[in-house]
Amino acid sequence: MSTDPAPLTVAIRRSWDASRYLFIGIPVALLAYVCAFLVVAVLMFAAVIIGLPALPEAAKLLRRFTDFERRRSAARLGVPFRPAQYLPLDGGELSERVRRVLTDPATWRDALWLPVQALIGNGLGYLTLILWPVGLFVDGAALTVVHALDRRTADEYGTPLPERQGWVLRWHPVLADLAASWSRSLLTSSHSAELADRIAQLTESRAGAVEAHGAELRRIERDLHDGAQARIVALSMRIGLAKQLLDRDPAAARLRLDEAHDGAEAALAELRQVVRGIHPPVLTDRGLAGAVRALAADAAVPVTADLDGVEDGRRLPAAIEAAAYFVVAEALTNISKHSGATAATIRIGRGPDTLRVVVGDDGHGGADERVGSGLLGIRRRVAALDGTTRISSPTGGPTDIEVELPCGS
């Protein structure tokens, strides 16, 4: 005789798994109902200027709420979680942050999801409650009889027991998948929209990379012109004077040659400094971990470095190592000059396909990409390699710079 579980037990287990998703949808729907009114209120106050400062903060809370629903629906459907591509709201003037909120398609999708969730989430959740007693009554009686007939047939003819899901309880998984599917479709941009966003990002990063490359070439030219070239010209003049004085005043010629020797060493040091700005030799010699530890040792504030992800001996592509090195170098320079920090941290982690670099400090915060070129240079350098940059620096601190670079390892 077969020992397979009774079909009613299987149907109840599946229905309960789906019902948990739908039951959680009830408080989510109630919260969405409240948030929908709050969004309308914030927009009304923003229209009369009073509520403008609250608009970016309300958008951040909405993003956290909808991210929770994205994760929940992705887990129900068994698909990877895809975070929404929002415009950044950290840093910048209030007018710029408000503009980003009002022009961000992903934020408007989140706002549209709120009233729909308030209606459908509640409706499906309460429908689930109604179906349970009906399902237990109908399926409890019917499946017991059907299972007895199936077992008799299986024992008589040696056929396997068919899998029964019931007539009423089977609708719980259908409703749960339906709720998860529409949430995911509404909160996730379409393929064409993602493609358009991707093209826009690549166009922007390409323009930034070209501009950064041009700025880098101008910097190298300026360093060579003002530094090494000037020293080499002076060196040539001293050697010429030494040749003129060699026969009639050997002592003066020797003095000029000594000066030329010192000038040659200074010019060589200038050239090494320029080369170090293009690709630091320490990266080639010691790898990313060793180079970052050297930066940490030379920093003006105590630095704690967690580099476990890149100390296993496996080398990253040279462009990725150079980008990560310059991100850390620029961040530590900013910390030393502007942050007023007493300590800094560096964390580098290596995932299957990405390199994550986080530099933080305990300073007074308020870092602005539009002031100076350091932070903007970091963003452009990372974007040129198809990476992402997140900068959090609220007034009062702390400041955190998080960079993710594709490393394909």
Side-chain angles (χ1 to χ4, degrees), residues 283-350:
L283 273 177
T284 304
D285 299 337
R286 300 171 58 183
L288 181 59
V292 170
R293 291 197 183 281
L295 287 174
D298 294 337
V301 299
V303 178
T304 302
D306 180 5
L307 311 176
D308 292 340
V310 290
E311 287 189 316
D312 57 1
R314 294 180 301 158
R315 294 298 297 266
L316 291 159
I320 301 299
E321 283 193 342
Y325 174 86
F326 283 115
V327 166
V328 174
E330 183 62 38
L332 291 179
T333 299
N334 288 342
I335 290 172
S336 301
K337 291 182 177 180
H338 310 297
S339 71
T342 59
T345 59
I346 302 172
R347 298 191 304 276
I348 300 181
R350 186 175 184 175

Side-chain angles (χ1 to χ4, degrees), residues 292 382 407:
V292 170
V382 172
C407 61

Side-chain angles (χ1 to χ4, degrees), residues 73-74 77 79-82 179-188:
S73 60
L77 297 173
V79 297
F81 165 69
R82 288 193 302 166
S181 296
W182 78 258
S183 282
R184 179 173 171 80
S185 62
L186 192 59
L187 292 174
T188 304

Side-chain angles (χ1 to χ4, degrees), residues 309-310 316 320 348-357 386-388 403-409:
V310 290
L316 291 159
I320 301 299
I348 300 181
R350 186 175 184 175
D353 300 308
T354 59
L355 180 72
R356 183 170 178 265
V357 180
D386 203 18
T388 59
V403 165
E404 288 189 359
L405 294 162
C407 61
S409 60

